[in-house]
Each structure stands twice: as C-alpha cells, then as structure tokens.
Amino acid sequence: MKAPRWPVVAAFLAGLVCTGCPLPMGDANGQSTDDDVGKQLEELQSKIAALETRLRQKLYGNGAAGERIVTSDIRLKGADANRQYTDFIVEPGVTLTVQSGTVIRCTGTFINRGTIILEHGTIGSDREGGDSSTVLESLRPAAIGVSKLAAASAEAGDASSDRAGGRGGEGLSEFESRILLLPRTQAGGAGGSALASGGGGGGALTVIAAGEIVNQGQISADGEDATAGGGGGGAGILVFASAVKVTIAASSSIAADGGDGGDVTADAAPGGGGGGGIVHLIAPEIDNQGTITVSGGAAGFTTGGDLISAAVRSGGGGGGASAGAGGRGGGVPAGDSPATPAEPGAEGDFITTLTDPAALF
C-alpha cells in the first residue's frame, strides 16, 4: 500500500483551519480570543510537524544507525540489521557484498565509489540418482523468484529416445517490473538443471534516500553462470530512489545481467541463458552518464559437431527468468548425435521514473 505524501496531508489539515474547521475556543462569555486561536493553531501545526516526521521516517528511516563509511571489504550481515543510516558511503577500492532482499534507508546521501555485489537470491535446480538403473530420480526444482514461471529442468534418460531441453522461465511485463519497488530475498529465477545443477538467480537491493544517490563505482546483481548444460540464473533487481536526485557518473556501471547457460558436455546439451533483470531509478531529477545493462545471458556453447555419447544423457536446462524470459535448453536426438542449440535469455528492464519517491512507496 502506498504511503501518503506528507505535503498533501499537511495541506489538507491546514485547509480544515482555513475553511472553518471548528476549534474549541472562547472566553467566559463564549467569545473567541486571539490567545485561544493562536494556541489552537500552534497545537495543530505541532501535530502536522509530528505527522510529517513519522511519514518521512517510514520512508527514509530515522538515521538510528548513524553514518556508515565502508573502508574495507565487508559483507553486510545480521549484526547490521539496523540499516537506517544518516549517510552511507562506500569508498574507492572497497568491495561491499550485500545479501539479497536488503533495503538501505538514508536520511542523507548514499554514495558508492567502490564495488557493490549482490549475493544470489535463489538456488538453481539440481538432480540426483540419474543412471541406467534409475526409474525416478530426485529433482530439486528451480526457484521461480519474481518471475511468472520457473525454468524447467531437462529430460534425462538413455540413448533410445530424444531428450528434450528444459523450457526457460517466463519473465515480467514492463509494468510489472515498474511496480516492483521492494523485492525481497527471492529475486531472479534460478536455472533448470541438466545432469548438473542450474545457476542461481540474482539478488535484490533497494536504496531509499532523502538526499542524493550517487554511483561512481560498480554495482552488480547478475544471475549465476551455469556449468555442464545447466540453465543460467535470471538476473536480480536494483531500485534506487532519492527525494532529490540520482546521479550515475560517466565512469560507473550498474549491471543486472542474466547468467550464461552451461556449455555442451559428453552427457548434456547446452543450457539456456538467464533473463535480464531490473534497474529502476526514481527521483525528481536523474543524471545518467554511466553504463547500465540488463542483458539476457548467453546460451551455452555447442560446436554442432561434438556427439553426445554417454549412456545416460540429458538436454540442457532452461534459463531462469526475471524481467526477461529465460532461454530454452538444447536437446539431444536419439543415438550418438550432436546436441541442438540452446536459446539466450531475453533483455530485462531499465526504468527511470521522474517523481518524488513518496508518491510510490
């Protein structure tokens, strides 16, 4: 549910006074006095100010964690549960690792001069027990993440029949990407498995600041590359919202790219690429001079000449989805045959919204 905008609330309450909202005032004879009117207006103004403060804290935090300057490589963890800062700064040459689902709130500014890396938010599909004696193997399905449909794992079996590749996950529409402002732990969808596991999906980070947000370094929420025919992980989600301005410097980059599918092996076709993720910038003013990518992951490589000759083989796993759809994994024809190609993941969504974040969150 969207939080009300405190300027609107303040104007509404002030309007009640201006349009004759009854106030309990008067002297002993029931006549109004200047002191009564002044006192009631002061009380109303105090209540409006308190309401504005509460609403600002709900969006930008209360700054209780103080100023945070990251000067050495760290991973934000449980001890950093209070993420309501005044200012948050990552210094040059420093790598900050962030767990998926993190929300950082600043009463002041957020500045990244180093490298911010999002951990994966979902785990790829995996299978166990696939051999010539297996009737039903153990399969861990790919996590769906924020996508509409999870990636599928490939068909596995002997050489007597074709073995199909897994279909890729289904991504979001641009509208659905735009309204996804506070994603949690499971962001990018994971990749489907071949005989080996699929890639994990990218993580999610939301930064909300009352002051300016500046990126002069690198930020990434990429899906995980797969190996041995697995599907690549769908990319993650990055949301940066400032009440003042978002600045992406010319030398900086932000990436939410899908993971690559795993290459062909002797027992598996190539995997599909993961779908591209979401980068959303929200502020009354946005200055983007940097490089922002939401690319789909590449399909796993196949030469077209190498034969799949293992007694137990599989198609390639489907790529996980995010904003972009995942690619289908390649297939294996019956007999000793070359694998068919896999598909790359689809492009994600890079979105800019020129508004005060209070209108959206």
Side-chain angles (χ1 to χ4, degrees), residues 185-331:
T185 302
Q186 295 203 15
S193 61
L195 294 181
S197 62
L205 170 66
T206 299
V207 176
I208 311 172
E212 189 173 1
I213 293 176
V214 179
N215 181 45
Q216 298 172 333
Q218 289 75 46
I219 303 174
S220 65
D222 295 339
E224 183 180 22
D225 294 341
T227 60
I237 303 168
L238 297 166
V239 180
F240 299 99
S242 166
V244 180
K245 182 180 181 181
V246 173
T247 298
I248 311 299
S251 59
S252 70
S253 66
I254 299 177
D257 298 330
D260 294 343
D263 294 339
V264 67
T265 66
D267 60 8
I278 302 169
V279 176
H280 192 172
L281 309 181
I282 305 168
E285 182 180 356
I286 297 173
D287 181 11
N288 174 28
Q289 302 296 325
T291 301
I292 297 179
T293 59
V294 286
S295 303
F301 177 76
T302 178
T303 64
D306 294 334
L307 299 182
I308 306 296
S309 56
V312 177
R313 74 276 300 278
S314 77
S322 181
R328 175 177 283 277

Side-chain angles (χ1 to χ4, degrees), residues 12-41:
F12 172 73
L13 294 175
L16 292 179
V17 176
C18 297
T19 56
C21 178
L23 296 173
M25 62 185 76
D27 59 17
N29 298 316
Q31 300 298 312
S32 299
T33 66
D34 290 343
D35 288 344
D36 291 331
V37 173
K39 183 180 296 185
Q40 293 297 325
L41 287 175

Side-chain angles (χ1 to χ4, degrees), residues 33-351:
T33 66
D34 290 343
D35 288 344
D36 291 331
V37 173
K39 183 180 296 185
Q40 293 297 325
L41 287 175
E42 287 177 3
E43 291 178 356
L44 182 58
Q45 289 169 349
S46 177
K47 291 178 180 178
I48 292 172
L51 178 59
E52 288 179 348
T53 298
R54 289 197 298 271
L55 292 173
R56 286 185 65 84
Q57 287 181 352
K58 182 177 181 181
L59 184 57
Y60 303 115
N62 58 14
E67 182 184 58
R68 183 68 181 269
I69 301 178
V70 182
T71 58
S72 60
D73 294 355
I74 63 168
R75 174 180 181 265
L76 284 183
K77 50 188 183 297
D80 304 294
N82 182 0
R83 291 170 186 167
Q84 301 183 69
Y85 303 98
T86 51
D87 298 305
F88 191 97
I89 301 169
V90 181
E91 294 287 29
V94 172
T95 297
L96 172 66
T97 303
V98 180
Q99 296 178 75
S100 183
T102 294
V103 178
I104 293 176
R105 302 178 190 269
C106 299
T107 59
T109 59
F110 178 94
I111 302 174
N112 174 48
R113 301 187 180 105
T115 300
I116 299 176
I117 298 176
L118 267 292
E119 293 183 345
H120 298 130
T122 57
I123 298 174
S125 174
D126 199 6
R127 67 203 320 156
E128 295 179 356
D131 57 35
S132 59
S133 65
T134 300
V135 175
L136 184 64
E137 61 192 359
S138 173
L139 178 65
R140 180 182 69 204
I144 188 172
V146 299
S147 68
K148 293 180 178 178
L149 186 66
S153 293
E155 179 185 6
D158 60 25
S160 62
S161 299
D162 296 351
R163 303 302 171 188
R167 51 155 175 72
E170 184 176 344
L172 304 177
S173 69
E174 193 273 345
F175 170 79
E176 290 164 333
S177 296
R178 184 177 290 275
I179 63 174
L180 190 58
L181 301 177
L182 288 169
R184 297 304 180 185
T185 302
Q186 295 203 15
S193 61
L195 294 181
S197 62
L205 170 66
T206 299
V207 176
I208 311 172
E212 189 173 1
I213 293 176
V214 179
N215 181 45
Q216 298 172 333
Q218 289 75 46
I219 303 174
S220 65
D222 295 339
E224 183 180 22
D225 294 341
T227 60
I237 303 168
L238 297 166
V239 180
F240 299 99
S242 166
V244 180
K245 182 180 181 181
V246 173
T247 298
I248 311 299
S251 59
S252 70
S253 66
I254 299 177
D257 298 330
D260 294 343
D263 294 339
V264 67
T265 66
D267 60 8
I278 302 169
V279 176
H280 192 172
L281 309 181
I282 305 168
E285 182 180 356
I286 297 173
D287 181 11
N288 174 28
Q289 302 296 325
T291 301
I292 297 179
T293 59
V294 286
S295 303
F301 177 76
T302 178
T303 64
D306 294 334
L307 299 182
I308 306 296
S309 56
V312 177
R313 74 276 300 278
S314 77
S322 181
R328 175 177 283 277
V332 181
D336 292 345
S337 305
T340 61
E343 298 175 346
E347 186 88 357
D349 291 320
F350 168 43
I351 303 166

